[in-house]
Amino acid sequence: MDSLLVLLKKNLRQYVMVIALATTMIVFGVMTGGIFFRPLNLTNLVLQNSYVLILAVGMLLCTLTGNVDLSVGSVVCFVGAICGVMMCDPPMGLGWNPIAAMFVAILIGAAIGAWQGFWIAFVRVPPFIATLAGMLVFRGLGQVILQGQTKAPFPKMFQVIASGYIPDIVDGFRIGETSLHLLTIIIGLLIVAFIVISEIHKRKGQKSYGFDVLPVGIWIAKVAFIAVVLMAFTVVFALYRGFPNILILLGILVMGYHFVTTRTVQGRHVYALGGNIKAAKLSGIKTEWVMFWIYTNMAILSALAAMIFAARLNAATPKAGQNFEMDAIAACYVGGSAVSGGVGTVIGAVVGGLFIGVLNNGMSIIGISTDWQQAIKGFVLLSAVAFDLYSKARSSK
Amino acid sequence: MTDNGILLEMKNITKTFPGVKALDNVNLQVKRKEVHALVGENGAGKSTLMEVLSGVYPTGEYEGEILFDGKRCAFSDIRHSEKAGIVIIHQELALSPYLSIAENMFIGDERARYNIINWDKTREDAMTFMKKVGLNENPNTPVNKLGVGKQQMVEIAKALAKNARILILDEPTSALNEKDSEHLLDILRELRDEHDISSVLISHKLNEVAAVADSITILRDGKTIETIDVDRGRGAAAISEDRIIKGMVGREITDRFPKRTNTTGDVIFEVREWTVYNPDNPDRKKLDNINITVKAGEVVGLAGLVGAGRTEFATSIFGRYYGENISGKTFINGKEANLGTISRAIDHGVAYVTENRKEFGLVLIQTIKENTTLAKLKKIARWNIINEHEEIRSAEVFRQRLNIKTPSILQLAGNLSGGNQQKVVLSKWLFSDPRILILDEPTRGIDVGAKYEIYTIINGLAAQGMACLLISSEMPEIIGMCDRIYVMSEGRITAELPGKTATQEEIMRHILSN
């Protein structure tokens, strides 16, 4: 059985990321005199970063193939513009039903993705070039549609998806003086229960095959730690207005993509392609179609992010989505994706995205100017990737 | 200075790579005014010897000494040896396709002053050297507009521009047609007779060697076997051809192959009239009208040299991974089977164990478990969700069955030794439940013990009725393992031999007879 140290070393990259995230949060918590951990601020943190996290999930698949998608920011602008025209400023005054408009927006995202996927997968235009072209094309078309103007306001129903909170089952539930969002607490408890059960299940399975597992004490400590942290955040949200709608959507997306990448045939195909495309192809994987679907998926998620961004801003603007692709790419690489492809996890990309989001938020509160924020984020990205390469070079010796 | 007529002498050259002795006390003497042929099987050490000579392996990385023009040489790199007048022309031409003939000729040696190129001088000098090799073209022509034969001439002219005194040509005619080959040999003679330039010709074409060589050195397994002086006066060529073949392959076949008592059944796999064109050069046939059959429980060998088209044959059958304009039919159990995509080929029970496991066979950054199931994930998945318990169980079964030495199936494939990696590739394909198993160089680069194990596995599969097609460049392996042997040469099947009675000499004769 491997010693604890060896096990830690094996998963060094993951632990480093989580520890860095936790440390940064605690440091900001202290530096801001607790403002950082206030329910309002944490809620804002989620709302501000939700679209980048959604994009990071899609971008992870691109980085797994050793590529990126540069067009997502422009697709956000383009789809946002279409939403704006459909809902705020419909031609001939025929306002669209928000549900129908959202459905159309997703379809448009899929069409954009299929367009880019086609060039990448079947014409073999390098993804960098194809999506660079997409970046120019869709930013341009977005501006054409908006004619340089901002479209606002959106219908209430549309705004709610981005800025609303889940309803409570009991009105005005209180414990003593403090009001508490009951449904949020219940959901939090369910999630914790689910994680504990699946961890037990996983451990049992690993043990029955004689694989190395953490010593039981440390394992219990780890699971307990996760449970406590999750419950702590749940309570903080419950103290404000409960879970934001976006957080629920984000949670479902992250769990869904985590499942697809780790447990399904399609997910395995993506990793195999990223690890060795020739071997994957010679093993019968239809590598062209895998590439096609990855880029189609990316644009669908971009359309989703576009709606959330537009709804939150309550406007469709020609500048929407600028540099979103860079934030998403940075999230993936900070979160442990390998530049050469084949390595990376959905959870890692989300942690990486959160890390950058926490840096943004914390630095804003303590009054560091945005110019410096930009520069600091750049250094964080560089050191994350350099650390990755360094530790890989050392372990391969 | 005493002149014994010897231009170049390599004495007792020994070069070891980790674990392998590539050259073992090799001697080579090249006289002034001669064309010296260097022959041997793939891996005999020809290329390594020439790399030692040209400074690819600088002095100190090998033992022995090199005398050029009677002086001891210690080259530190290629430029150094070129300066002395030793120029090597590799099999894959080293020309920059979009640059002109003149530009290519003086790459690294530009006709320039203060770093500014004098184009008139460049063209003028180019013309001079082009004339020497009989290349009648505009020096401004980009080389990709020239045929392969003329590109070869550009390479030779380039070598002359470097003041070459000895030219080393590594299989220069392998990509040329007959006419261009003739022309090239004429040039070598002319350089020898009129310009005092000797050449070392590495070639697998014995007729060529017989036609042009003044002496022939034979290498086998990193050792000099002998040097034959060809007496031009007599028709010595025909006699020495047998002698050359014997020298190239005359090794003992020791008992390195497990015994097998096989009972072959009906024909399971058949390929008819298979013709494939080269995708890089769509006018050239890579494979020409190939017909083969493989029976149940039979191990059929596909012998030939590197480049004969064996891998291309396998990969064109297997889902048309290679090739253009493919024609021909494949039959499984007597019924025509469409193997047009790799997944379809797998569904039909065809498995192809690739050559070069690191590049084509494995995802090195994934675990043994993930590599094992990759080719048929749907076998352990329901509604596309992988059953992890099932996956672990399957990988464990193959780990034990093939005796993969690893602490755990969660070990990364990249961390395994060559032999164990090869077993993982085998696991992957056996996991796909094949009826027809194509093995491409399955024992290359692995140690003797692991080889024996792989042979035993192949025999076991054949005993269970698997139809095996074994591609190998190691002749003892082909003879030791196979029931029947097809010999392939330059895209054609040139012989079909029974495995029991075939000899290395016989196979080599069919390889070289094309």
Side-chain angles (χ1 to χ4, degrees), chain A residues 31-70:
Chain A
M31 283 175 81
T32 59
I35 295 176
F36 181 84
F37 282 111
R38 282 197 190 153
L40 174 64
N41 188 52
L42 282 186
T43 307
N44 272 336
L45 186 68
V46 168
L47 295 179
Q48 276 166 6
N49 290 294
S50 53
Y51 33 88
V52 170
L53 293 181
I54 289 173
L55 294 175
V57 168
M59 191 66 78
L60 173 87
L61 298 176
C62 300
T63 63
L64 281 179
T65 70
N67 295 295
V68 292
D69 187 337
L70 294 175

Side-chain angles (χ1 to χ4, degrees), chain A residues 4 106 112 128 139 142 174 208 222 266 280 306 327-328 337 346 356 366 369:
Chain A
L4 185 62
I106 294 285
I112 292 172
F128 188 90
R139 173 70 57 189
R174 285 168 178 281
S208 71
K222 176 187 143 189
Q266 282 76 9
D327 287 339
S337 284
V346 169
I356 294 175
I366 57 177
S369 67

Side-chain angles (χ1 to χ4, degrees), chain A residues 201 205 208-209 211 259 262-266 268-269 271-272 274-276 278-286 341-343, chain B residues 318 321 342-343 346 354 358-360 362-363 365-366 370 373-375 377 381 384-386 388-389 391-393 410 428-429:
Chain A
H201 187 70
S208 71
Y209 290 109
F211 292 152
F259 183 81
T262 55
R263 294 289 308 280
T264 66
V265 172
Q266 282 76 9
R268 193 62 71 74
H269 284 181
Y271 280 97
N276 185 345
K278 288 179 197 160
K281 203 170 180 162
L282 280 165
S283 301
I285 294 171
K286 297 187 172 96
V343 177
Chain B
F318 192 62
Y321 180 79
I342 290 172
S343 49
I346 294 171
T354 48
K358 285 188 180 171
E359 197 182 340
F360 300 109
L362 294 168
V363 183
I365 57 174
Q366 289 191 338
E370 286 162 328
T373 54
L374 189 60
L377 275 170
N384 276 328
I385 297 164
I386 295 168
E388 280 181 66
H389 296 285
E391 182 175 33
I392 291 167
R393 202 169 303 138
L410 298 185
K428 173 169 91 174
W429 288 111

Side-chain angles (χ1 to χ4, degrees), chain B residues 111-155:
Chain B
R111 296 295 181 256
R113 234 172 120 187
Y114 308 123
N115 261 334
I116 295 163
I117 293 177
N118 182 340
W119 288 113
D120 290 330
K121 177 114 175 73
T122 302
R123 277 185 285 270
E124 194 192 327
D125 286 3
M127 294 287 268
T128 318
F129 292 111
M130 282 161 68
K131 213 181 236 166
K132 278 193 186 171
V133 297
L135 184 60
N136 195 9
E137 290 283 336
N138 183 337
N140 290 330
T141 315
V143 295
N144 66 343
K145 296 269 186 279
L146 303 174
V148 200
K150 286 187 172 166
Q151 291 188 13
Q152 190 73 260
M153 293 300 126
V154 175
E155 278 276 16

Side-chain angles (χ1 to χ4, degrees), chain B residues 442-463:
Chain B
T443 65
R444 180 175 287 172
I446 64 180
D447 64 77
V448 182
K451 272 186 183 181
Y452 194 89
E453 281 184 88
I454 299 235
Y455 296 143
T456 313
I457 294 166
I458 295 172
N459 284 348
L461 293 170

